[in-house]
Amino acid sequence: MPIQVTCRHCLKRFQVSDKFAGKTGPCPNCKKPIEIPKADEQVVIHAPTDGAPKDSKGVSVLKPIERKETDVTKSGLLISIGAIVAVFGFALVFRFTGQDGAAPFWAQLVGLILLAPPLVWSGYTFLYDQEREPYVGPELRNRVLICSALFAVIWVVYAFVPSYVFELDKPSEMSWTVFGITLCVMIALGALASAGTFELEFFNGVIHAGLYFIVIVLLALTSGVALAGKPSQDDRLLEPLASQPAAETLSVAVTDVTSPRLTPPRPS
């Protein structure tokens, strides 16, 4: 077994064979004489004892729990991107082939539901707490499905709340300002759902929910669906009247016509 030697002159470290133990020789670096320590004089650093039970070879039988790093896998990322591209592709097809240049309602509903799982899964793999053990396997799948369903249900806020408050016939008749406020409320509710489902911090939940809702808004714009700013039925009826030229005011000149006075005949 080689002996570890450190020259006391140049502090160079090197190894020598144990047959030179206790002898004196020149340092290979500075050539000054040094004494090789004996085998029993070596400083041995022992690993700290953990107090765990050992096997016959002195190895601990309690294996430490290794942390598993969960990153976006290549296959999962390709599936998510493929699903998003496919849904946007169908949205373009419906826009150019559907009635009124927009996707039908059933296609909007299908796209809203199909985009939820890949967006929820990919968002969680980026935003999960690095200090906690991530969800994997069937548990991750179940939580993704639950969160996806909650995100889809939150669109009920857009469908009914502004229409009820402002007495609109359709949600698309709301102004863009009202739509922006409604979208912020939906993202906040989605953040609560995300934080409760995946145990995320609220700020990460906002990013998680915002990813889904903003992508759905972009999908609606791509498919030609009017989310807001659409004139109401009353406004459409008033448009032809507003487009007509204003009636000209006719001034009528009133002429003061003096009729001749009839005088009664004088008696003869």
Side-chain angles (χ1 to χ4, degrees):
M1 181 177 179
I3 301 175
Q4 299 289 338
V5 179
T6 302
C7 178
R8 59 187 179 87
H9 302 288
C10 64
L11 303 180
K12 182 71 175 179
R13 299 182 61 184
F14 54 92
Q15 295 180 345
V16 298
S17 176
D18 55 358
K19 65 181 180 179
F20 297 107
K23 298 182 180 179
T24 302
C27 172
N29 184 48
C30 63
K31 307 304 180 184
K32 294 183 179 180
I34 58 173
E35 184 177 356
I36 310 299
K38 297 180 180 180
D40 55 356
E41 295 177 352
Q42 294 186 88
V43 177
V44 180
I45 301 176
H46 299 278
T49 57
D50 54 3
K54 307 292 191 299
D55 57 11
S56 59
K57 297 181 180 180
V59 179
S60 175
V61 297
L62 300 178
K63 296 181 179 180
I65 300 176
E66 297 181 357
R67 177 182 176 84
K68 296 180 180 179
E69 296 293 337
T70 302
D71 296 324
V72 179
T73 60
K74 184 178 181 179
S75 59
L77 186 60
L78 291 177
I79 292 174
S80 300
I81 295 176
I84 295 173
V85 171
V87 172
F88 272 84
F90 282 112
L92 289 174
V93 172
F94 281 118
R95 178 169 187 172
F96 292 109
T97 60
Q99 297 179 353
D100 299 330
F105 176 75
W106 66 266
Q108 301 173 30
L109 187 61
V110 170
L112 185 145
I113 296 175
L114 289 182
L115 274 183
L119 290 174
V120 170
W121 177 84
S122 57
Y124 171 72
T125 55
F126 282 108
L127 297 170
Y128 78 96
D129 191 353
Q130 300 291 331
E131 298 180 357
R132 300 173 62 99
E133 190 70 19
Y135 296 109
V136 294
E139 187 175 10
L140 175 60
R141 178 199 60 203
N142 295 336
R143 291 178 182 271
V144 166
L145 294 178
I146 293 173
C147 189
S148 301
L150 293 175
F151 281 1
V153 170
I154 291 176
W155 278 100
V156 174
V157 175
Y158 163 80
F160 294 103
V161 174
S163 300
Y164 177 78
V165 174
F166 297 100
E167 298 181 354
L168 305 175
D169 295 330
K170 296 180 180 179
S172 58
E173 295 177 0
M174 74 178 75
S175 65
W176 284 106
T177 302
V178 175
F179 173 75
I181 297 174
T182 305
L183 182 62
C184 292
V185 173
M186 294 165 60
I187 292 176
L189 294 175
L192 294 175
S194 177
T197 306
F198 293 106
E199 299 182 3
L200 299 176
E201 295 182 359
F202 182 77
F203 179 75
N204 289 341
V206 170
I207 299 175
H208 193 209
L211 173 66
Y212 168 74
F213 288 107
I214 291 176
V215 169
I216 295 299
V217 171
L218 294 177
L219 176 65
L221 297 177
T222 303
S223 60
V225 177
L227 294 175
K230 190 174 182 180
S232 62
Q233 186 175 0
D234 295 338
D235 295 336
R236 289 193 294 269
L237 293 176
L238 293 175
E239 282 180 359
L241 299 178
S243 61
Q244 293 180 0
E248 297 180 356
T249 304
L250 300 179
S251 60
V252 179
V254 180
T255 305
D256 185 11
V257 179
T258 303
S259 60
R261 295 182 178 179
L262 297 178
T263 58
R266 295 179 180 180
S268 54

